[in-house]
Amino acid sequence: MTILNWLRGLFILVMVAIVLYPVLWVVSLAFSGGQSLALVSVPEGASFFEALRALLPLPQQWSLANFEGLLTEQPFGRWLLNSLIIAAATTIVGVLLACSAAYALSRFRFPGRERGLMLLLVSQMFPATLMLIPLYVIIVEWLQLGNTWLGLIAVYSITALPFCVWMLKGYFDSLPVDIEEAALMEGASPVAIFWRIALPLAKPAIAVTALFSFLTAWNEFILASIFMDEEALYTVPVGLRFFVSDFSAQWGYFAAGSVLVSLPVVILFLGLQRFLVSGLSAGAVKG
Amino acid sequence: MPDLRKYLQIAALWLLGASALLAGPASAEEIRLWHAYRGEEKAALENLLERFNATVGHNSGHTVIPLAIPFDSYADKLSAALPRGRGPDLFIFAHDRIGGWALSGNTIAAVDDFASAAILERFPQPLRDAMSFEGKLYGLPFNFKSVALIYNRDLVPEPPATAADMLALAKRHTDQARGHFGLAFEYTEPFYHGALLNAGGGAFSADGELQVDSSGAVGALHTLREWLATGALPSEPTSALVSGLFNQGRAAMVINGPWMLSEIDPTIDYGVAPLPLLDNGEPLSPWAAVEGLFLSPASKHPQAAWALVEFLTSDEAALEMATTGKQLPANSAAFSFPEVQQNPVAMAFRKQLDTAQPIPNLAEMTLLWTPLRTALQRTVKGTATPEEAARELQAGVQQDIDTLRAQQQALTNQQNTQAAPLWPWLLIPAGLIAFLLTGTRRRRIAAGLQEHRTAASFVGPAAIGMLVLVFFPLAYGLLLSFTDTTMFNEHTPLSSRWAGLDNYVAILSDWRIWNESGVRFDNFYWTLGITIAWTLVNLALTVLLGLGLALALNKPFRGRNLVRVLLILPWAIPNYITALIWKGLFHPQFGAINQFVVLLGGDPVAWFDTVTASFFTGVITNVWLGFPFMMLVILGGLQTIPSDLYEAARMEGASRWQQFRRITLPMLRPTLLPAVVMSVIWTFNMFNVIYLVSDGAPAGANDILITKAFRIGFEKYQYAYASAYSTIVLLLLLAYAIWQTRVTRMTEAAK
Amino acid sequence: MASISLKKIVKQYGQQAATIPGLDLEIRDGEFMVLVGPSGCGKSTTLRMIAGLESVSDGELRIGERLVNDVAAGERNIAMVFQSYALYPHMTVFENMAFGLRVRKTPDAKVREQVEATARALGLEPLLQRKPGELSGGQRQRVALGRALVRNPDVFLFDEPLSNLDAELRTQMRAEIARLHRTQGTTSVYVTHDQVEAMTLGDRIAIMNGGRLMQVGTPAELYSAPDNTFVAQFMGSPPMNIFSGQRDGTRLRTAFFEIELPTATAAALPTELQVGLRPECLSTTGTAATLNGRVEMIECLGHEGLAYLAAGDTQLRAKLAMEQLPQTGTDAVLRFNPADLYFFDTNGERIAATSVEPAGTALETAGA
């Protein structure tokens, strides 16, 4: 028993170390003030422990220069705000659409339901890079939504849909039907049941899908830079990519930006973590 | 119903309002300029534009609105906007795409009518040539860039005059054990190989024929091998490695361009000199990349835009770009200003231009880059002799060129400058709707409309959105796969591009998996095999690791919540940067992983040299990124297993293993199955990890289908062929999903 | 207040054979009707059709005078208590009870008044601000009842509401439900598989099996005059003993006994039949007929006990006073009144009008 517990502890420790190591490189690069990407130099004639020390992702000197450069050279704060607004709106729209569609797919029997479910999966199977031009045509030429947040929000919330609907449908399937039947008996309309009974009960799954929609919008780069024709409208990932050009890259700035960009996400994960476990899995399980 | 509608209306209004506030209408008198500058160069450009707006622009009533675009998406943005008559009036871009753009006919405008002889006098002849294609001038050069020798003055007081001197010097400053090297540059990058290749006669002959197997070109490969044989150059050179080594004083000399200067550590005293002469007295002749100023054929103010071009290439502007922007202006006058003449670095790069050659701007050139990189890697790693590598390179690229030229030939008769309309594609989603409705109509009537109306109002918004923004583009991609669309005939009518099943036949009937020098890594079946192996190995490892961690975390202990949060970090950080960090960790000489291996007494592994090792760099990165999802899913699944099952099993004397085998695993199945299906689909199409970590190394062996499709589409411009590849991916995954069990049964445990 | 009328009600899923092939049932205004039967007999489906949660495939379903086949569940003014209680887990007890009223846009003051009145009646007042997760099983059951009561519906439906409670609570809640029905007098339909609940609660009981109605009647009618062996065995605990018998002229022969039948009775009976005898109709005293069997097992229930008798392959249970219980392994002789015998044909249908007058001469059974 105790040996097993020891092994378990060791396993967890090793995994935490493996997970943290590259992350710490990002952090260390961000705070190093320099620009070189994860290169290790073991000093000559170093003892085992000195060598080990050199392998730890600690910058030689601590400096906020990368953060300063990042925030002063570009309107990074502005972009951060843009991203926040777009990601928040994407989350709201995406979750609303996903919830209502998933609820219908779970609770109502209607023609095309099963084929619809299959199509959701199919949509995940085609590489996104080839959809660039048609998306440009639809959003910019037909809908005239180029250079607006609305265009991006529409694309992001829809592209996040298949996964969200898939998740949520599984979760709704796992909720006991009789609670909704009770509400039905009491004269509540399907819409009222959806809003007042089903949605509050699906909170964990909604948290997961919200997170997923948020991440989709938060990290996307190529569409944002193609649709937007004003620097003031760019999102953070677009801003970050300025530090990577054809011949050279300012990895230090990039890492500092990544740290800033990851912070809200990590905070979101922290806040939602109690929902993550149940929200992700309960979907598949019947009570 | 009113509830939902009300909410949606509010949301829509709010969004509309918010976006309307920020997107003002474009004024008619604007000249829009796109560029990919940042930092000092951007500041210099903006200074100039301000000056223009206050003077020339002010007089003619025009204002320049600049837009900076990240390099990574710049080309995509241009090729989305320009052929559709959108985009800028004027843009700054490297000159090497001129050929392709000129041939496709609707991306850049010829400027012969605007450019007076006096203005052309501003530029050295090679730079003027760089901007011409098939006898027409397509823009004016703005700045140029080429590599030169950058040396650490503390180690190398005087730059070497000949290659032999350079190597001797480099050898003296090399101490592999301490990680010191005499010379570093990205010798497997075609752009850097240009110095050697051009000294041997260049990639294309004077009349534009490919000649990468000429004796000169083969000689260039031999020379590179000789250089490497000295041991004075580090392996797996990347730009980060080169500048990193130089900054740490561990590279005495590097061959690099002016873009590196801003990254050099202020403590390093460096100098710049033109590249040395070869043993035969010929100079090394690097490629020069010229940033040109191009006019859009759709510009409504070409005159005003041209006035801006003239202004930006003026002597005054050249001085600003050279001083504030730290650029090398194409206007020769820049180098006669005392401010610039006193700058030895700028003058050294200017001097290098005398022996440099602009990158050929032929459309064919774009087909050469990736195969040349592969050939360089093979030569360097010794998996092919220079002769073999050159022969294969010539044969492979020549074939692509022939395809391209045949198509251009067919096109010469029907030039048409507007992109073909996309609306006929709408027929496809319409067909899709019809498909969804037929066959069930009978049942629909019988079951009564009431319930379906409710269902429709719930599903409707999402379905319409998906139809327009997912299935329409998807259908477009599918249809594209039945054509022979490339960058050059994109604008012609669909019927003229129709190719039926040709692409599929070409892909699927290519059974030549082996040739005399081994596996042909660009064969579909090899890539398919790699993709399947990639997916299976990733899936197995993420599930195993996720399961192990979930089991370990399922019992409470102190700090469990903290551990759980730490373990999902890989999911929270943008994978673009973590993938690149992993690439750095795998570097054979300076990556932390090999350092650990050495520390523990092992030999360093050449991670990107063999198919297997390179395969695992991708796998390890992807598992690192992917296991948190599995872990959370399984953790949730574990919590739904009633504990009395285990108690019952213990009463019956089941061992821990038996409990795991007979209770845990079967009870996890329903949770795992959908996660596995999703995971398979995602892993199958995991573009970023492959592209950023191993990049298919060695020689494309580890490309998966989607990265291969990307290369075909965006490196060879064969859009249709790439579409066919993607469609095959879709069909394979669809077959898998159907096989794995019917979708509905998967999510709805049987009632 | 309303009666419920089911006429030729059919329930069919897809193309399969009908789950309920045609059901006729009249539930009177104010009546407490219990639907009882083994699991899968269609009782829950019937209840859900009345509720409007399942569509009616064919036939006519009326509540009061109104044909409700196509009326949505929420518009039938019916309240239902679910087996799982189906309380809204995210709402407090107050909100749970108020939900139905609020959906109907009842003014807030009225909602408060009604909820509080109902809560008072059920003793729920101290729980109003709690959530269902914080309540015990019995309390939840009470809230579910309160939620149904508060709307003052025309009909109450109960779907096995007590099956998740322990024995004591169940008895208590059963009494509560009975009391509620007495005071409110609302038409109620109650589904259960427990015959004790059925007997104690029902004004009338409808026994179902395999989607068909076996018999409808008051508890007393069902006990004393079962229409068939199914009903006979379903009502009563332990169930009625049924064994085969042969009539030879006026003599009735079974594995346990042989008696002389009155001629009129004998004439009505076929030669092959099934004989029923309730365990509680056997004793060791009295002057009536006797039966013999080997005692295989004894079960003590306190003041009385069960004796398991066997004759050949046939078994029989007798409910006897403790002091009358025979020893296991012995041959026992028990007495019964032939008037207590029930006769069924081989299909299990009761043979009408067949009671046995005391024949006077009880014949010794032919030795086992």
Side-chain angles (χ1 to χ4, degrees), chain A residues 8 40-41 44 73 78 100 115 125 130 137-138 169 191 225 228-229 231 234 241-242 246 250 281 284, chain B residues 1 22 38 42 68 71-73 77 178 250 422 435 458 472 552 576 590 636 670 685 726 747-748:
Chain A
R8 183 165 71 115
V40 180
S41 50
E44 42 209 300
E73 188 192 299
R78 176 66 196 269
S100 70
R115 276 182 240 186
M125 299 172 179
L130 282 162
V137 170
I138 294 168
K169 182 200 168 272
V191 175
S225 68
M228 295 307 186
D229 289 342
E231 280 166 59
Y234 279 164
R241 292 297 178 104
F242 273 113
D246 46 353
Q250 276 73 45
S281 57
Chain B
M1 209 45 231
L22 281 140
R38 129 186 140 65
K42 186 183 180 196
F71 173 78
D72 274 0
S73 60
K77 190 168 167 104
R178 291 166 52 218
R250 306 213 282 181
L422 272 176
F435 164 74
F458 272 84
F472 173 77
Y576 181 78
F590 297 97
N685 282 339
S726 308
T747 51
E748 297 160 25

Side-chain angles (χ1 to χ4, degrees), chain B residues 250-262:
Chain B
R250 306 213 282 181
M253 296 171 280
V254 299
I255 297 176
N256 215 336
W259 50 86
M260 181 182 148
L261 301 180
S262 64

Side-chain angles (χ1 to χ4, degrees), chain B residues 52-256:
Chain B
F52 177 83
N53 284 340
T55 57
V56 187
H58 183 77
N59 296 337
S60 66
H62 290 95
T63 313
V64 185
I65 309 285
L67 175 70
I69 297 159
F71 173 78
D72 274 0
S73 60
Y74 193 11
D76 287 334
K77 190 168 167 104
L78 285 174
S79 53
L82 288 172
R84 290 175 183 79
R86 292 175 178 267
D89 299 281
L90 184 67
F91 63 98
I92 301 172
F93 204 89
H95 78 287
D96 57 334
R97 294 226 186 186
I98 290 177
W101 282 339
L103 288 174
S104 68
N106 50 14
T107 309
I108 47 174
V111 295
D112 297 280
D113 296 344
F114 292 111
S116 65
I119 283 187
L120 288 177
E121 282 302 314
R122 290 172 175 174
F123 315 106
Q125 188 62 41
L127 298 187
R128 260 186 274 168
D129 292 346
M131 307 307 290
S132 311
F133 179 75
E134 292 185 344
K136 282 187 185 163
L137 186 69
Y138 281 96
L140 292 188
F142 188 35
N143 295 308
F144 68 89
K145 289 174 165 134
S146 83
V147 299
L149 188 72
I150 303 173
Y151 56 97
N152 185 330
R153 276 215 242 230
D154 293 336
L155 303 171
V156 182
E158 275 302 308
T162 67
D165 288 351
M166 180 174 76
L167 288 178
L169 199 59
K171 246 198 274 191
R172 232 182 308 136
H173 288 286
T174 298
D175 181 349
Q176 291 237 14
R178 291 166 52 218
H180 284 239
F181 294 91
L183 178 64
F185 73 103
E186 292 177 72
Y187 46 81
T188 51
E189 274 304 308
F191 180 73
Y192 292 84
H193 184 64
L196 286 166
L197 180 61
N198 291 332
F204 290 90
S205 67
D207 51 359
E209 291 305 318
L210 185 71
Q211 51 165 12
V212 285
D213 61 346
S214 70
S215 60
V218 174
L221 291 176
H222 275 293
T223 312
L224 177 59
R225 288 246 289 224
E226 285 159 21
W227 287 14
L228 291 174
T230 62
L233 285 92
S235 63
E236 292 293 333
T238 61
S239 67
L241 178 79
V242 171
S243 52
L245 287 177
F246 193 73
N247 279 337
Q248 294 167 352
R250 306 213 282 181
M253 296 171 280
V254 299
I255 297 176
N256 215 336

